Amino acid sequence: SAVISQKPSRDICQRGTSLTIQCQVDSQVTMMFWYRQQPGQSLTLIATANQGSEATYESGFVIDKFPISRPNLTFSTLTVSNMSPEDSSIYLCSVDRNEQFFGPGTRLTVL
Amino acid sequence: AQSVTQLDSQVPVFEEAPVELRCNYSSSVSVYLFWYVQYPNQGLQLLLKYLSGSTLVKGINGFEAEFNKSQTSFHLRKPSVHISDTAEYFCAVADTGRRALTFGSGTRLQVQP
């Protein structure tokens, strides 16, 4: 199993600003993932973050908008840049350890 | 690339009745299959997974699913539901190499007394 924490748990932000979300895992993992869950919808993969390499982004997501850092095997950050109300979502990180374990999510509201 | 189709967006059912939530997938490579549950205002919890072996998989809370390769399906079943099973259920697939999950659109199970 894996214990994953995310900070902040929720935030309300003004449009045009940026928010950095932190994801901490209780033990080392190679693969970490960031997902977005827009209101009332399913989860969509934003990017895969492996330590020591650039994150790999899915179609429709770009590094300038969602820069990701992966400085070590237990930590990652996702920044939501130049936010607009359309970025209001729950952002979740997950790790793969024969199955994916998810963090509790960060609920972001952009006004 | 993979895709997942959950045919039913909402499934209303009476308490103690059986339920089946349908999931079909498409993929050009071998996949792992998962069902997750999301209770209101809570995170995702893994119900069960198929990696290999027996095609009938048993999970938590009395749920089970059967992998049917020829029909590319992974339907979730429970013989008798409880009010507490009311939640959103997501089917997901991951290719065996890349491991990132592709989710279906979700099925809202509403158990009525």
Side-chain angles (χ1 to χ4, degrees):
Chain A
S1 67
V3 178
I4 305 170
S5 60
Q6 286 185 234
K7 290 182 182 179
S9 58
R10 58 178 63 225
D11 206 343
I12 300 173
C13 301
Q14 296 297 319
R15 69 171 67 213
T17 63
S18 298
L19 177 71
T20 295
I21 302 168
Q22 299 179 9
C23 178
Q24 179 76 52
V25 189
D26 63 335
S27 58
Q28 295 182 345
V29 291
T30 303
M31 301 179 80
M32 293 181 76
F33 306 90
W34 286 97
Y35 293 84
R36 180 176 73 180
Q37 186 176 24
Q38 294 177 298
Q41 297 191 30
S42 186
L43 286 83
T44 301
L45 179 67
I46 297 172
T48 302
N50 292 335
Q51 197 269 335
S53 62
E54 296 270 336
T56 303
Y57 289 83
E58 298 299 299
S59 175
F61 297 96
V62 295
I63 187 170
D64 289 346
K65 175 68 176 178
F66 297 101
I68 288 171
S69 77
R70 183 79 201 273
N72 57 54
L73 290 171
T74 63
F75 187 78
S76 178
T77 67
L78 169 76
T79 299
V80 187
S81 304
N82 188 25
M83 288 184 285
S84 67
E86 293 70 37
D87 294 320
S88 297
S89 297
I90 299 174
Y91 293 85
L92 302 102
C93 68
S94 73
V95 302
D96 184 272
R97 194 169 284 148
N98 292 323
E99 66 186 66
Q100 280 200 24
F101 297 90
F102 285 83
T106 295
R107 184 179 295 271
L108 171 62
T109 301
V110 184
L111 302 177
Chain B
Q2 297 86 42
S3 67
V4 180
T5 302
Q6 292 183 244
L7 295 164
D8 307 299
S9 60
Q10 292 190 60
V11 174
V13 62
F14 288 107
E15 194 172 19
E16 298 183 6
V19 71
E20 179 179 80
L21 306 183
R22 296 180 293 170
C23 173
N24 288 89
Y25 71 94
S26 72
S27 176
S28 57
V29 299
S30 297
V31 295
Y32 299 140
L33 296 153
F34 307 84
W35 275 99
Y36 286 86
V37 60
Q38 188 175 40
Y39 297 103
N41 297 313
Q42 294 190 30
L44 281 170
Q45 182 180 6
L46 181 69
L47 274 178
L48 48 78
K49 61 185 176 185
Y50 173 79
L51 303 181
S52 65
S54 173
T55 57
L56 182 62
V57 180
K58 294 190 183 298
I60 62 171
N61 301 341
F63 284 93
E64 64 179 32
E66 184 152 22
F67 169 54
N68 188 319
K69 188 173 182 179
S70 62
Q71 297 188 8
T72 60
S73 67
F74 191 55
H75 301 332
L76 181 71
R77 297 192 292 259
K78 186 169 183 178
S80 175
V81 295
H82 303 289
I83 296 287
S84 59
D85 292 322
T86 294
E88 189 86 20
Y89 291 80
F90 294 99
C91 180
V93 301
D95 78 57
T96 57
R98 187 164 165 261
R99 308 302 285 264
L101 289 168
T102 300
F103 283 85
S105 55
T107 298
R108 180 170 298 277
L109 177 63
Q110 296 172 301
V111 182
Q112 304 163 1

